[in-house]
Amino acid sequence: MKTQDMLTGVDERLSSATSLEQVSEETKIRVEALNLWYGDVQALFDISINLHARRISAFIGPSGCGKSTFLRTLNRMNDLIDNVRIRGKVVIDGADIYSDSVDVVSLRRNVGMIFQKSNPFPKTVYENVAYGQRLLGVRDRRVLDEIVERSLRQAALWDEVKDRLEEPALSLSGGQMQRLCIARALAVEPEILLMDEPSSALDPIATAKIEELIVELKQKYTIIIVTHNMQQAARVSDVTAFFYLGRLIEVGETRKIFTSPEKKQTEEYITGRFG
Amino acid sequence: MFRDNSLVDQTAVRRRVRRVWSNGAAGFFISLGGVGVIIVVLAIFVFIGYETIPLWTQPSLTEIADLHFSHPDEVLIMGENEYRSLGYAVTGTGELIFFSPSDGTELARHRIPSMTNVTFAAIDPTQKKILAIDSNQFGLILSLPTTYTQVSDLDSRGITTTPFALIEPFTAPIADFSVSGQDDFYAVIAGDKSPPVLVTSRGASLFAGSTPEIVQAKLSWDYSAAVSSVAVDKFGERVVVSTTTGRAFYWDVRDPTNPIMVQSIALSDTEITATKFLLGGQVLIVGDAKGRITTWTWALDSASVNGLSMVRLNEFDGHTGRVTAIASALRNKSFITGDATGEVFLHYQTGGRTLLKSRGSASTRALTISPRGDGILILAADGSISIDSLYNPYPEASLRTLFGKIQYEGYDHPTYTWQSTGGTDDFESKFSLVPLLFGTLKGALYAMVFALPVAILGALYTALFSHPRIRNIVKPIVELMAALPSVVIGFIAALWLAPLLETRFVDAVVIVVLFPLSVLAASLLWRLLPHAAKNGFLSGSELIVLVPAIVLFMILGTYIAPEIEAFLFGGSFRQWLYESANVAYDQRNSIVVGFAMGFAVIPIIFTISEDALSGVPAHLTAGSLALGATRWQTATRVVLPTASPGIFSAAMVGFGRAVGETMIVLMATGNTPVLDFSAFVGMRTLSANIAVEIPEAPYLGTLYRILFFSGLLLFAFTFLVNTVAEIIRQRLRKRYSTI
């Protein structure tokens, strides 16, 4: 029953994805032989992958497989963790983000991130969205108003919060807060959005809204989403990468991964034999 | 099987009983502890409050007995011994009548030698001598023994007499009389139309012979109005002659042979009917024909002949009729006044309060306060003496004397002064808590000025920027600072820091200025370092550059400071400060206190702030960093506001600690209760004041209770600060709450 649902979902998604497939094959992020250690423990092994612009790439795999760790290497959020060592290359738009000359701050501005747990700041709705722009020194209220509105519209939240902009962000519902976080990320105009299980803490209706939004955002952004929910990966992504025990097992067109995976481990995971 | 089952049941039941029991016991003990703490705090509050309550009790006057003599009209003056066990009255017929003040019974009569028709009698303020004047220009000083408890103590051997002949005849004399020392006395005697005569007996020394020399001098008098009252102080320095027009003349009579009139002043706009010096001789009490009571003191005045002139202090509640009698207390600044309608009022000079009003029927002719201030004798015009007991234990304390601006005796302007005890018994206690409250706040604020930035920035650095390993070392060390006894900090501040700062103040300023500069320089250096060199270090290891830079700049500071001092202040900052700004530099000053007490409150502010900052959820920090914020931006825009409730309460707890801190301020402030904003002078705080004065405060006395009251204030103040802090903290927490 569950598999049936999942597969019909995949089929629906695939039919629409096929038409978009031709839009872009431009490589946005190129990862070469990336290894990562937490102290003495190696968490990622020799990962090489190309991620395409204006596509949704989904990372799936069982807990502890390294997919979130890998996601965080893409905007160097792992720098915040003590004792992390990285070897390998992550090339975004032709530049290695781990080279010494890279400014982490502008990298993160370009590579936005949505977290598993929505994390609005204890400020108003407006100030949350305007936060990134304020960091850049934008003070002009009109410019900020415009950016806030645009970002909230992009995040499909404008109609729900336009009268509550001065209320605390924490008064919003869980789904709204997560979309607010997306709007906040969009407000700094990144090119890439990293999403770390963005809907795992939300109810089905809010999840549906987020997924709808993600597909919508594909028009402009390169989106990488880590998810536990294989149906979600199947529903929204163009490309799926399967991680297992710190290694990238298989990557390919979502349709292909879900219908005829090459590796046995992938198939076993997708069909629910472990994970 | 059945048995087994029941066994299992039994153990289960037993276990459940034990669980219920231990749950109940734990609950009970925890509630006991919590409620106990509240009860103890409340009990302390109640105890302190209880000790202060008597300060606010109303004085009262109760009549004990009413005394009528056989020749009632002729009683002129009366008095009592210290224990209120024996009273005496002088009659116009020249008799000394003894009575028992407890029930009013007459005990005995003595005839005063060589006095038949006494026209005037007065008791000196110490109630040791009686002046009697008879119609034959004859004066007599009766000296009572130092102690007397029964009539036999006052026979012809007990009472010595000193007769003198007056140089001027006075038919119905107006006089005042005071004594100082064993045999010296001063009397000023006037008739209503004749100029006053000053009678002085001074210089009765071992070498001058047994009989003291009596000098009489006329106070030359060309004012047309009739004399209505005279007063002489107990040192024989001042004579005030008042007239029926309200104008009075102040004479400097320090040289009895050559009295100088210093000032002519209108003490009233109508006839002055009674004048009397208050205890200590610094204040003159003036009553007039309209029933008004005012007090006057002598303040420095460079325009005056002898450098002093009379200024007005207070006006008290007025009487209905003309003021007929005034008597001063012997132990404090209380005095009583009586009028022609029989009203008797009790006043207290400091603060200008009328404490008690009692109404009588017949006009008051004379008043005496018993030596201990626990009773009064009222002589009515009908000759009866009313013996009253007076309850007036804490007249010095009132909201006005504790918090108001008071003009004390000898001052020409009102001040806020704390000066609880003086060199003499007749010192006027100055109980203004304002300089102490001010000092408390000043000390705490200076401490906060030093402690807040250091502690909060330190916490910010430790929580958000430093390497966790550094944090794990720094935090316990700072917390260990709190374990340093405050007496040690006070000792170091008073004996090492204060003298050091006195000579090297400019060094301290230079170092304080250089400190941020050194940090800036270090960060610049850090920035200039190549990326490759920095990537070798872990985040937070900037200290490697920062610490040497700070040390270097400090050393540099101590080298350039003397140059700066020489260049800007001519070599001595203290001298420069005094000469150019007229600001005195005390060795124990607010800056020393700021450092020392700041040092004491830093650990608590640091620890609570650090906890608050570390407690900000990591996902908020991550969210901010993921938006391209720098660590600093994240710290100031997300972490600080979110942690603000905690930091606020840290600051408040630190402030509360600084307000209540005793040892450090006791040792390092100089304990001068001055109201001065200058950073270069010290202060006295409420807590230090209690520590300084409670050992010397007489048990259950006014000072003792006022110190308890200041403890209550401190308690209330801390309570208020904590309550306000908690309310604000809750509000902030609501505003910056996180999910």
Side-chain angles (χ1 to χ4, degrees):
Chain A
M1 170 77 185
K2 217 176 171 190
T3 326
Q4 192 60 42
D5 275 358
M6 189 186 81
L7 289 177
T8 35
V10 172
D11 284 344
E12 280 165 24
R13 273 295 309 129
L14 291 182
S15 50
S16 63
T18 337
S19 56
L20 289 160
E21 228 165 78
Q22 284 78 35
V23 175
S24 149
E25 283 301 340
E26 165 198 345
T27 298
K28 186 77 179 171
I29 305 172
R30 197 175 79 241
V31 181
E32 289 171 18
L34 186 82
N35 289 277
L36 182 142
W37 291 264
Y38 288 120
D40 296 329
V41 182
Q42 187 162 9
L44 295 176
F45 298 87
D46 244 350
I47 291 174
S48 297
I49 188 172
N50 286 349
L51 298 164
H52 302 297
R54 288 180 293 284
R55 291 290 210 87
I56 301 173
S57 308
F59 294 171
I60 59 169
S63 294
C65 69
K67 55 191 193 300
S68 288
T69 301
F70 179 59
L71 187 77
R72 285 202 299 269
T73 60
L74 301 181
N75 69 345
R76 291 186 60 171
M77 285 300 276
N78 281 328
D79 290 13
L80 305 174
I81 300 165
D82 211 28
N83 285 333
V84 167
R85 270 185 308 126
I86 289 169
R87 213 175 60 208
K89 265 185 169 178
V90 177
V91 180
I92 297 179
D93 290 335
D96 182 0
I97 63 168
Y98 282 96
S99 84
D100 285 341
S101 57
V102 161
D103 176 13
V104 181
V105 167
S106 55
L107 166 75
R108 290 191 189 136
R109 215 165 274 150
N110 196 34
V111 184
M113 192 162 188
I114 314 298
F115 296 83
Q116 177 176 4
K117 194 179 171 203
S118 64
N119 56 352
F121 302 133
K123 297 172 187 279
T124 61
V125 170
Y126 184 97
E127 283 305 321
N128 261 279
V129 182
Y131 181 80
Q133 289 296 326
R134 285 205 192 273
L135 292 179
L136 292 168
V138 178
R139 290 234 172 74
D140 190 336
R141 187 77 191 187
R142 270 173 309 168
V143 175
L144 286 175
D145 285 350
E146 198 185 299
I147 289 167
V148 167
E149 180 173 348
R150 195 186 64 219
S151 307
L152 285 169
R153 280 188 194 284
Q154 276 186 305
L157 192 59
W158 175 253
D159 293 331
E160 293 165 53
V161 301
K162 64 183 178 205
D163 301 322
R164 306 170 58 184
L165 291 177
E166 295 307 320
E167 281 177 35
L170 295 162
S171 66
L172 301 178
S173 73
Q176 286 174 327
M177 281 200 264
Q178 191 59 297
R179 276 181 284 149
L180 180 69
C181 291
I182 294 175
R184 190 174 69 185
L186 295 177
V188 290
E189 295 164 0
E191 291 176 38
I192 301 165
L193 277 181
L194 308 178
M195 299 189 176
D196 192 354
E197 302 188 36
S199 59
S200 65
L202 302 177
D203 62 75
I205 294 167
T207 304
K209 276 193 175 172
I210 298 277
E211 286 179 9
E212 212 173 289
L213 172 62
I214 293 169
V215 174
E216 194 71 29
L217 292 171
K218 190 172 77 166
Q219 314 281 351
K220 284 183 70 183
Y221 302 93
T222 303
I223 295 168
I224 299 155
I225 177 169
V226 164
T227 180
H228 252 110
N229 181 340
M230 277 180 285
Q231 288 155 291
Q232 187 172 57
R235 280 196 297 267
V236 301
S237 71
D238 302 314
V239 174
T240 299
F242 172 62
F243 288 79
Y244 184 59
L245 296 176
R247 291 172 205 278
L248 174 62
I249 305 297
E250 188 173 351
V251 59
E253 295 281 327
T254 300
R255 175 181 48 182
K256 193 166 162 291
I257 294 284
F258 278 91
T259 51
S260 53
E262 283 173 11
K263 299 276 165 62
K264 195 165 178 287
Q265 281 163 315
T266 317
E267 192 188 345
E268 284 177 351
Y269 180 68
I270 285 170
T271 51
R273 254 170 256 172
F274 75 96
Chain B
M1 183 79 182
F2 182 79
R3 267 185 78 88
D4 281 350
N5 254 347
S6 83
L7 258 177
V8 169
D9 279 357
Q10 270 184 7
T11 37
V13 164
R14 224 177 287 144
R15 208 176 293 149
R16 202 170 63 222
V17 166
R18 207 187 305 146
R19 194 160 56 221
V20 167
W21 252 101
S22 51
N23 254 347
F28 173 76
F29 280 113
I30 291 168
S31 328
L32 189 74
V35 172
V37 166
I38 296 172
I39 288 175
V40 166
V41 171
L42 271 180
I44 293 172
F45 189 76
V46 166
F47 172 71
I48 299 175
Y50 178 79
E51 288 292 318
T52 64
I53 286 171
L55 279 182
W56 318 111
T57 49
Q58 283 298 310
S60 60
L61 196 62
T62 329
E63 180 161 351
I64 300 171
D66 203 13
L67 199 55
H68 291 271
F69 297 115
S70 43
H71 303 288
D73 285 340
E74 292 179 4
V75 175
L76 296 172
I77 193 72
M78 66 280 155
E80 293 170 280
N81 71 351
E82 201 179 337
Y83 316 102
R84 303 205 81 197
S85 63
L86 185 61
Y88 56 85
V90 179
T91 67
T93 51
E95 277 183 317
L96 205 52
I97 307 177
F98 297 103
F99 60 88
S100 159
S102 54
D103 53 12
T105 50
E106 187 181 322
L107 300 173
R109 287 185 184 226
H110 285 180
R111 172 141 294 281
I112 300 170
S114 57
M115 283 265 173
T116 47
N117 187 17
V118 181
T119 53
F120 179 87
I123 301 173
D124 88 282
T126 64
Q127 302 193 7
K128 292 295 175 210
K129 284 184 167 57
I130 299 166
L131 166 73
I133 299 165
D134 83 351
S135 50
N136 307 321
Q137 299 182 42
F138 185 63
L140 188 69
I141 306 292
L142 295 146
S143 302
L144 304 173
T146 40
T147 52
Y148 53 94
T149 49
Q150 45 201 341
V151 180
S152 58
D153 296 334
L154 296 171
D155 59 12
S156 51
R157 283 163 304 170
I159 298 178
T160 56
T161 54
T162 312
F164 60 94
L166 281 165
I167 54 171
E168 187 93 11
F170 298 108
T171 45
I174 298 156
D176 191 31
F177 170 54
S178 71
V179 303
S180 75
Q182 194 58 40
D183 287 311
D184 300 355
F185 69 85
Y186 318 98
V188 57
I189 307 161
D192 56 355
K193 291 291 179 208
S194 42
V197 168
L198 178 71
V199 184
T200 315
S201 156
R202 252 199 285 222
S205 70
L206 233 51
F207 309 105
S210 58
T211 47
E213 179 196 6
I214 291 175
V215 178
Q216 297 191 44
K218 266 192 203 176
L219 305 179
S220 68
W221 189 250
D222 57 0
Y223 190 68
S224 59
V227 174
S228 57
S229 178
V230 290
V232 59
D233 77 317
K234 75 169 206 173
F235 304 108
E237 292 178 355
R238 295 161 187 166
V239 166
V240 178
V241 179
S242 307
T243 66
T244 50
T245 62
R247 182 151 290 273
F249 301 89
Y250 156 43
W251 296 77
D252 185 332
V253 295
R254 277 178 292 184
D255 179 359
T257 54
N258 181 27
I260 307 160
M261 196 179 85
V262 179
Q263 192 184 9
S264 156
I265 181 171
L267 298 181
S268 170
D269 56 8
T270 181
E271 182 187 346
I272 295 167
T273 53
T275 52
K276 203 87 189 168
F277 274 91
L278 193 68
L279 173 73
Q282 300 294 318
V283 174
L284 184 74
I285 308 151
V286 176
D288 72 13
K290 289 182 183 163
R292 285 175 300 200
I293 308 287
T294 50
T295 49
W296 301 72
T297 191
W298 279 261
L300 292 177
D301 178 7
S302 53
S304 160
V305 180
N306 67 349
L308 290 172
S309 65
M310 289 178 78
V311 291
R312 186 171 151 140
L313 280 180
N314 293 309
E315 171 148 14
F316 298 81
D317 291 359
H319 284 280
T320 326
R322 59 189 275 136
V323 178
T324 51
I326 298 174
S328 309
L330 269 67
R331 296 218 169 165
N332 57 30
K333 304 288 178 180
S334 302
F335 63 92
I336 47 175
T337 56
D339 80 343
T341 67
E343 288 176 348
V344 174
F345 289 179
L346 172 71
H347 313 272
Y348 196 76
Q349 202 304 109
T350 314
R353 285 195 308 151
T354 299
L355 303 174
L356 186 75
K357 296 179 182 181
S358 114
R359 310 206 180 283
S361 47
S363 170
T364 313
R365 195 194 284 168
L367 292 166
T368 309
I369 301 187
S370 69
R372 285 188 172 175
D374 54 354
I376 59 177
L377 301 173
I378 306 166
L379 175 64
D382 61 6
S384 67
I385 296 173
S386 166
I387 304 164
D388 296 52
S389 88
L390 175 66
Y391 176 75
N392 184 26
Y394 308 106
E396 299 95 332
S398 70
L399 286 180
R400 217 189 131 207
T401 52
L402 294 179
F403 298 105
K405 211 170 188 180
I406 302 278
Q407 185 174 358
Y408 297 102
E409 59 182 40
Y411 283 62
D412 60 357
H413 61 276
T415 57
Y416 294 111
T417 306
W418 173 273
Q419 211 175 337
S420 55
T421 45
T424 57
D425 289 342
D426 47 26
F427 171 78
E428 183 179 34
S429 298
K430 301 169 182 70
F431 287 128
S432 176
L433 295 176
V434 174
L436 306 177
L437 285 167
F438 175 84
T440 306
L441 288 178
K442 186 183 172 189
L445 285 178
Y446 272 98
M448 294 310 268
V449 163
F450 173 63
L452 270 189
V454 173
I456 291 178
L457 290 175
L460 199 62
Y461 178 78
T462 319
L464 303 178
F465 294 94
S466 76
H467 191 272
R469 224 174 295 154
I470 296 170
R471 184 178 162 222
N472 288 342
I473 300 168
V474 167
K475 209 178 170 202
I477 288 180
V478 175
E479 278 162 10
L480 210 64
M481 270 168 67
L484 203 60
S486 60
V487 66
V488 174
I489 300 176
F491 186 78
I492 293 171
L495 282 118
W496 175 75
L497 181 64
L500 186 74
L501 210 59
E502 189 181 22
T503 50
R504 310 204 68 175
F505 182 77
V506 178
D507 297 44
V509 174
V510 167
I511 285 173
V512 166
V513 172
L514 279 183
F515 190 87
L517 287 179
S518 65
V519 174
L520 283 180
S523 69
L524 203 68
L525 193 69
W526 182 253
R527 213 169 253 213
L528 290 175
L529 275 180
H531 258 281
K534 272 191 288 191
N535 274 6
F537 297 117
L538 295 161
S539 79
S541 49
E542 299 91 337
L543 274 188
I544 294 163
V545 177
L546 191 57
V547 170
I550 292 172
V551 171
L552 202 73
F553 268 81
M554 301 281 123
I555 295 169
L556 183 74
T558 56
Y559 275 102
I560 61 166
E563 308 297 325
I564 292 175
E565 189 165 11
F567 179 72
L568 284 180
F569 308 116
S572 169
F573 172 74
R574 283 185 68 181
Q575 205 168 345
W576 175 86
L577 191 70
Y578 188 73
E579 281 166 4
S580 67
N582 201 22
V583 174
Y585 183 98
D586 291 353
Q587 193 198 59
R588 311 272 167 93
N589 58 42
S590 310
I591 295 165
V592 175
V593 174
F595 275 125
M597 205 149 67
F599 190 83
V601 297
I602 279 174
I604 197 160
I605 302 178
F606 174 86
T607 307
I608 301 177
S609 303
E610 212 273 345
D611 286 345
L613 288 164
S614 308
V616 172
H619 62 81
L620 283 187
T621 324
S624 171
L625 291 169
L627 285 168
T630 60
R631 279 203 289 172
W632 177 247
Q633 284 172 324
T634 305
T636 53
R637 296 179 191 218
V638 174
V639 180
L640 263 184
T642 312
S644 59
I647 294 174
F648 181 80
S649 55
M652 277 312 189
V653 169
F655 186 73
R657 164 105 204 260
V659 164
E661 174 55 53
T662 309
M663 265 338 273
I664 296 173
V665 286
L666 188 65
M667 298 176 84
T669 57
N671 290 315
T672 42
V674 289
L675 242 173
D676 192 337
F677 287 96
S678 167
F680 302 109
V681 299
M683 80 279 292
R684 183 188 284 199
T685 68
L686 279 175
S687 54
N689 186 57
I690 295 173
V692 168
E693 306 221 353
I694 203 88
E696 294 183 27
Y699 180 60
L700 301 184
T702 306
L703 176 59
Y704 177 88
R705 295 204 189 278
I706 285 178
L707 290 176
F708 265 92
F709 179 70
S710 63
L712 193 71
L713 272 187
L714 211 60
F715 196 103
F717 190 77
T718 328
F719 189 78
L720 193 79
V721 166
N722 283 343
T723 309
V724 169
E726 190 55 27
I727 290 168
I728 296 177
R729 198 172 72 91
Q730 293 294 350
R731 288 222 176 138
L732 283 172
R733 202 153 77 172
K734 221 187 211 167
R735 198 161 146 205
Y736 292 114
S737 63
T738 52
I739 39 173

